[in-house]
Amino acid sequence: MDIRSQIAMVFHLDKCIGCHTCSIACKNIWTDRKGAEYMWWNNVETKPGTGYPTKWEDQEIYKGGWEKNGDTVSLKGAGKFKGLKNIFHNPHLPVLDDYYEPWTYKYQDLFTAPEGNDQPTARPVSLVTGEHVDVQSGPNWDDDLGGSPDYARQDVNLDKLTAAEQEAMFQLERMTFFYLPRICNHCLNPACVASCPSGAIYKRGEDGIVLINQQRCRAWRMCVTACPYKKTYYNWHTGKSEKCVLCYPRLESGQAPACFHSCVGRIRYLGPLLYDADKIEQAAAAPEDQLVDAQMDIYLDPFDPEIIRQAKENGIADSTIEAAQRSPVWKFVKEWKLALPLHPEFRTLPNLFYVPALLPTMAKVNDGVYDSTGKSLWNGVESNRLPMRYLASLFSAGNTEKIVAVMKRLMAVRTHRRSVTVGDTSREEAAAALEEAGIDADTADAIFRLTSLATFDERFVIPAAHREESIEMLESTADVKGSTGFGFKERPQRGL
Amino acid sequence: MTNYLLFVALPYASLFIFLIGSIYRYRNRGFSVSSYSSQFLEGRRLFWGSQPFHWGLFVLFFGHLIAFLFPKSVLAWNGEPVRLLILEITAFAFGLSAFVGVLLLVQRRLTNRRIQIVTSKMDVVVFIILLVQIISGLLVAYHNRWGSSWFAAFVTPYLRSIFVFDPQMDAIASVDSLSLKIHVVSAFTLIAFIPFTRFMHFLVYPLDYTWRSYQQVIWNWNRKRIRTSRSHSEGRKSTNN
C-alpha cells in the first residue's frame, strides 16, 4: 500500500445557480492574457447541452481519455506510438473554432467617433487578429437553452436515451436543465500527464495537483487531445499549454482556490482524501459498470488506525491526516455516497465529484390536465425531470443503480427535513424514505447541515502545505531572500 | 579568400554559435524553447504542408548523416545500378515532398490572417533558409548525378576535415557546381540560426518519451525526512478569511 494525499473536490449541483462568478474569478486571476483569452479553466455549462469546447464529451471526435486494454488501460488518441507518429500534425486536436474566437469591443470608438446622425457603436473585434468579427459563438453560448435544437438536442449523453425519453425531457416548457461547472479534475490517472512527450506535465506528490512546467512544454499539444474533459488549453501566443492550477499559490497559503472562494451558491467543497496509489491501474481498468465502485475503493478511511499508521510511515504530515478526517469531500463521497465522478468511463479517475441535481416533479400534465395528486409531495425519483439514464451517462458510466441510490438519499434528506421544518409530510413517510435510502435521521441532518449551512471552514479544509520545508529541501532560503515567489523570471513572450 | 570565408570560417563560426547558443537558450531561456505549433489556429492546411515537409526533411537528414558516417557502405550499396537508382529516386522523392510541404506552409502563412499574427521576423528567416536549402538540394540532385556516390569523394572528406579541426576545403571549393556550394553554405547558415529561431524544437525532440513511464509524480519534499524531522512544527492557517 502506497498511501498518498489528494486535494479532492465536490460540487453540489442542486445549489448551482449558473451565475458564472467562478469563471470570472478564475479569468481575472489566470487567463486574462494574450493567447489565453479563449481559455476558461473554470467554465459553467448548461446540461443538456453541447458544452465548451463544443461536444467535448464525444470521444469519437476528440479521442480523449483512456480505453480498457486487458488488465490495463491505454490512451485513446495519444501515447508513445500515436503521439510521436502524429507529432507533426495531430489529427484529433480541437482548433480555436471548436472553442470560440475571443473578442473585445472597440470602446474607444464611442469617444472618438465623429459627429453624425447615428449613435456611435463599439464594434466587436477579434482578440486574435484584431479585425472586426461577427460574433457567432462564445464559451457559454448554450446558457439556459435547455430545450434548444442547436445545443440541448446535440448533447452526446442523449444517445443513450430512447426517443420517448428524450421527448419527455424536453416536454416541460422545454425547460429541463441544470448547470455543470467544470474545472480540471486533477485526476489520479491523468491522461494529460501520460500523453506529454516532453514530460512537462506532472502530478505533485504532496497534494495531487496536476501542473504543466512552462519551461519544458514544447507545444507538441498531445495533452489537449488526451484530456477527455478538454481542460488543458494551448496558448497560441506563447506556444505553451496551460491548465487549471487549482490556485496552488492560494492553497499553499491556506486560502481556497478563487473559483471556490467566490462561489455565490456555496456549491463547492474542497478537502484532502487519502488514497492507495498502488490500486490506480487496477481501478482504471475496471469493467465499465464497476468503475465508480473501483474508484471509491481507492480512497482510504482516514479514521482507521492502521491507515493512519501507514500514512505516517509514508511521510504524510499529521496536519494532512487531520484535515482528511475533517474533509467535507470524504463525507460527501465516501461516508454519505452522494457525490459521483463526471464521466468515469474516461478512466482518468477524476477527483472532482458531483452531487447530481435532483429536479423532482410535483405534478404531471396529463392530456392538458394539471395533475398534482401524487401519493406524496414529490413523485418518486423515477419521475424526476431528468431521466436516470441521462444522469447515469454523465456520472456513473451508464450504471443507473448508482444514480437511483444517490437520488433516493437526496430525496430522503429532503423529505425528512420537510417533515421537520414544514410538517406537511408525515414523520412516518420521512422515516420510510430514510429507511429505503439506507440512512438514519442523524445522518440526514448532517447532510442537510453541510449542504445548506456549512461555514467557510467547513466547506474548505486545506491541509498546511509546509512550503517552508519544501523550499529548505531544495535551496538555502538565505540565498534566495527577496527572490523567491511566484512568477516569471523571464517575460512570457513568444520566441526570442 | 572568399572560399576560405565560406568553407572554413563560416562552418566554425556556425558550429560555435550553434553549440554555445543552444546550450545557453535551453538552460537560461527554457520558456522560449517550443515548436510554436500553429495547428490550434489553422489545422487543415497545416496537415498538407507539415506532414510532407517534416517527413521529407526527417528522411533526408538521416540520409545525409548515413552518407557522412558510412560512405563505404553507401558506395557498396550503389555498386548495382538498380540499387543506386532506387536510392536516388527515393531521396529525390523525399526532397520533393519537403519542397511541396514548405511551399504549402509558406502559402498558408502568407494567406491566413491568424497565422500572420503569430509569424515573427525570425519565422521569415527560417522560411528563406529552408527554401534556399531545399531548392539548392533538389538542383544538385537533378544536375549533378549521382550524389550518393560522389558525396563520399567530395563532401565526406571536407566535412570530416572540419570536425577533426584540420580544414581541407580544396575538394569542395574545386567542385564546379554553384548549387552545391550554395547548399553547403546555406546548411551552415541554418546551423548558426538554430539557437535564434524555432529550429530549436528539433533539438528537443521528445525521444525520452519512448522509455519514460507514462505517469509522472514529482515530490517537493523528501517525505521520510520531513516525517522524522524533530524541528518540524505544524502549520496553522489564519482564521480570518
Side-chain angles (χ1 to χ4, degrees):
Chain A
M1 202 181 295
D2 180 5
I3 301 183
R4 297 180 194 172
S5 165
Q6 166 76 43
I7 301 282
M9 304 151 274
V10 166
F11 289 1
H12 199 305
L13 296 184
D14 256 338
K15 298 175 76 186
C16 182
I17 58 171
C19 64
H20 299 268
T21 307
C22 44
S23 305
I24 297 300
C26 176
K27 168 116 315 223
N28 281 339
I29 295 184
W30 296 113
T31 57
D32 192 9
R33 293 167 286 122
K34 189 169 182 189
E37 302 99 339
Y38 84 94
M39 298 178 195
W40 293 85
W41 292 356
N42 180 108
N43 76 304
V44 184
E45 289 167 12
T46 298
K47 280 277 157 195
T50 46
Y52 158 86
T54 308
K55 288 196 150 191
W56 62 270
E57 292 159 290
D58 191 346
Q59 304 310 341
E60 294 307 308
I61 303 175
Y62 292 117
K63 306 280 180 200
W66 302 84
E67 52 195 1
K68 193 169 158 60
N69 184 1
D71 286 342
T72 184
V73 285
S74 51
L75 288 165
K76 199 169 180 145
K80 290 182 181 179
F81 179 71
K82 286 180 211 157
L84 293 181
K85 177 173 73 82
N86 293 333
I87 204 158
F88 303 136
H89 181 274
N90 179 357
H92 316 302
L93 184 80
V95 295
L96 185 64
D97 303 298
D98 291 319
Y99 300 81
Y100 73 108
E101 181 158 359
W103 74 91
T104 184
Y105 296 92
K106 286 177 97 175
Y107 295 107
Q108 204 59 39
D109 286 0
L110 297 177
F111 300 99
T112 57
E115 206 177 319
N117 293 329
D118 304 314
Q119 283 276 11
T121 54
R123 289 181 70 189
V125 286
S126 164
L127 279 167
V128 180
T129 60
E131 291 170 350
H132 290 298
V133 282
D134 186 14
V135 176
Q136 297 285 350
S137 67
N140 60 344
W141 230 231
D142 55 354
D143 218 26
D144 295 358
L145 296 177
S148 69
D150 282 359
Y151 298 109
R153 304 244 175 189
Q154 303 293 325
D155 188 313
V156 179
N157 300 290
L158 295 176
D159 294 352
K160 306 217 172 78
L161 271 57
T162 64
E165 273 178 317
Q166 293 192 25
E167 276 322 300
M169 207 166 146
F170 294 117
Q171 176 195 20
L172 201 83
E173 299 290 324
R174 306 188 164 201
M175 279 295 283
T176 303
F177 63 81
F178 66 100
Y179 301 106
L180 183 73
R182 300 200 298 122
I183 66 171
C184 168
N185 293 296
H186 298 280
C187 305
L188 289 181
N189 186 32
C192 58
V193 175
S195 73
C196 177
S198 21
I201 315 185
Y202 62 98
K203 194 172 179 67
R204 292 215 301 199
E206 290 78 9
D207 49 17
I209 297 176
V210 177
L211 295 173
I212 303 179
N213 184 341
Q214 294 286 295
Q215 303 278 325
R216 287 193 62 184
C217 173
R218 312 284 182 226
W220 305 129
R221 70 223 169 270
M222 291 301 159
C223 54
V224 183
T225 291
C227 175
Y229 302 94
K230 291 291 165 279
K231 280 295 170 190
T232 44
Y233 300 89
Y234 180 66
N235 184 320
W236 54 265
H237 173 65
T238 58
K240 304 273 161 172
S241 284
E242 298 178 11
K243 64 180 285 301
C244 159
V245 296
L246 203 61
C247 286
Y248 73 85
R250 287 174 65 95
L251 277 181
E252 285 170 8
S253 54
Q255 296 170 285
C259 55
F260 286 73
H261 202 139
S262 63
C263 180
V264 175
R266 303 183 176 186
I267 77 157
R268 298 185 178 216
Y269 301 83
L270 178 139
L273 288 177
L274 300 181
Y275 69 97
D276 181 2
D278 288 340
K279 280 197 198 157
I280 290 175
E281 188 176 2
Q282 186 196 334
E288 196 135 290
D289 57 334
Q290 295 163 28
L291 269 170
V292 175
D293 287 331
Q295 182 176 355
M296 293 306 161
D297 273 351
I298 290 186
Y299 302 112
L300 303 166
D301 184 356
F303 297 98
D304 182 337
E306 177 58 20
I307 300 290
I308 294 175
R309 190 188 62 77
Q310 290 203 39
K312 287 184 175 185
E313 215 164 80
N314 220 16
I316 293 179
D318 291 348
S319 53
T320 305
I321 296 171
E322 189 253 346
Q325 293 172 341
R326 288 191 294 119
S327 171
V329 181
W330 168 257
K331 294 196 181 91
F332 271 117
V333 173
K334 284 282 281 192
E335 214 176 301
W336 301 331
K337 301 185 173 59
L338 287 176
L340 297 166
L342 177 62
H343 285 300
E345 74 274 18
F346 297 161
R347 299 178 186 274
T348 61
L349 308 179
N351 286 302
L352 167 50
F353 302 91
Y354 292 87
V355 179
L358 191 52
L359 294 175
T361 50
M362 295 174 78
K364 266 186 251 175
V365 177
N366 283 333
D367 298 328
V369 181
Y370 189 75
D371 174 22
S372 63
T373 55
K375 245 195 290 172
S376 56
L377 183 59
W378 295 290
N379 298 306
V381 293
E382 291 77 12
S383 59
N384 278 4
R385 286 202 240 167
L386 287 165
M388 291 300 118
R389 235 172 331 144
Y390 178 77
L391 289 171
S393 165
L394 274 170
F395 299 116
S396 63
N399 186 340
T400 19
E401 273 171 46
K402 287 265 147 216
I403 288 286
V404 171
V406 169
M407 285 300 174
K408 288 210 162 137
R409 275 191 286 277
L410 287 173
M411 189 64 106
V413 173
R414 214 177 258 207
T415 311
H416 167 71
R417 289 306 304 175
R418 182 93 186 183
S419 78
V420 171
T421 55
V422 183
D424 60 353
T425 49
S426 67
R427 292 282 166 142
E428 292 73 43
E429 196 189 326
L434 287 174
E435 197 179 323
E436 198 192 341
I439 50 177
D440 56 28
D442 287 345
T443 312
D445 286 331
I447 294 172
F448 156 72
R449 209 199 122 65
L450 194 61
T451 304
S452 309
L453 305 172
T455 63
F456 191 98
D457 288 331
E458 285 171 284
R459 282 180 283 132
F460 310 125
V461 177
I462 301 162
H466 301 299
R467 275 292 279 184
E468 70 287 358
E469 300 277 359
S470 75
I471 287 176
E472 281 161 21
M473 286 298 165
L474 299 172
E475 50 199 339
S476 163
T477 44
D479 291 346
V480 288
K481 201 171 175 184
S483 68
T484 48
F486 181 71
F488 276 95
K489 286 176 190 163
E490 56 178 299
R491 285 173 57 82
Q493 66 190 11
R494 189 182 171 84
L496 274 184
Chain B
M1 186 61 195
T2 318
N3 277 342
Y4 187 81
L5 274 179
L6 289 179
F7 298 116
V8 178
L10 176 72
Y12 281 114
S14 295
L15 290 170
F16 183 76
I17 293 171
F18 162 70
L19 267 178
I20 303 296
S22 303
I23 293 170
Y24 177 83
R25 183 164 174 197
Y26 183 82
R27 291 177 58 139
N28 297 35
R29 302 287 305 271
F31 185 75
S32 76
V33 182
S34 165
S35 63
Y36 295 111
S37 165
S38 57
Q39 190 188 346
F40 180 71
L41 296 173
E42 199 288 315
R44 233 164 39 86
R45 286 166 73 188
L46 179 80
F47 173 81
W48 296 105
S50 176
Q51 290 281 30
F53 169 72
H54 278 100
W55 288 113
L57 279 201
F58 186 79
V59 170
L60 290 178
F61 174 78
F62 281 101
H64 282 64
L65 195 69
I66 289 167
F68 170 59
L69 292 177
F70 314 107
K72 281 184 190 141
S73 318
V74 176
L75 284 177
W77 168 273
N78 284 348
E80 293 267 352
V82 184
R83 293 197 296 207
L84 168 76
L85 267 179
I86 290 173
L87 180 67
E88 285 283 333
I89 289 171
T90 313
F92 197 74
F94 277 102
L96 277 181
S97 139
F99 183 55
V100 171
V102 79
L103 283 184
L104 289 172
L105 288 176
V106 168
Q107 190 219 19
R108 166 176 177 269
R109 214 159 260 278
L110 287 176
T111 53
N112 187 301
R113 188 75 189 103
R114 286 180 186 169
I115 307 301
Q116 285 172 6
I117 294 294
V118 292
T119 302
S120 66
K121 287 194 190 90
M122 274 307 177
D123 291 342
V124 179
V125 175
V126 163
F127 274 119
I128 292 172
I129 296 177
L130 282 175
L131 278 172
V132 172
Q133 187 65 13
I134 294 172
I135 292 173
S136 61
L138 286 174
L139 287 177
V140 170
Y142 185 74
H143 288 298
N144 309 78
R145 291 171 206 163
W146 302 98
S148 54
S149 289
W150 57 249
F151 192 95
F154 292 95
V155 187
T156 304
Y158 163 65
L159 288 179
R160 187 164 290 160
S161 74
I162 295 279
F163 285 110
V164 298
F165 300 104
D166 178 23
Q168 304 291 333
M169 59 169 186
D170 300 341
I172 200 84
S174 63
V175 174
D176 183 25
S177 163
L178 183 62
S179 35
L180 177 64
K181 285 177 178 169
I182 292 177
H183 195 68
V184 170
V185 169
S186 112
F188 281 114
T189 316
L190 189 155
I191 290 172
F193 270 97
I194 287 173
F196 306 101
T197 57
R198 58 164 54 173
F199 281 142
M200 267 303 271
H201 76 272
F202 88 81
L203 293 182
V204 290
Y205 180 83
L207 208 57
D208 57 336
Y209 184 43
T210 49
W211 61 77
R212 80 148 217 249
S213 71
Y214 270 122
Q215 296 295 2
Q216 305 218 105
V217 179
I218 293 182
W219 294 85
N220 281 325
W221 309 345
N222 179 329
R223 294 189 274 169
K224 312 280 164 173
R225 191 170 152 198
I226 285 175
R227 200 59 243 177
T228 54
S229 165
R230 288 274 153 244
S231 62
H232 172 65
S233 60
E234 292 299 329
R236 282 274 170 263
K237 140 183 162 169
S238 62
T239 49
N240 62 350
N241 50 7

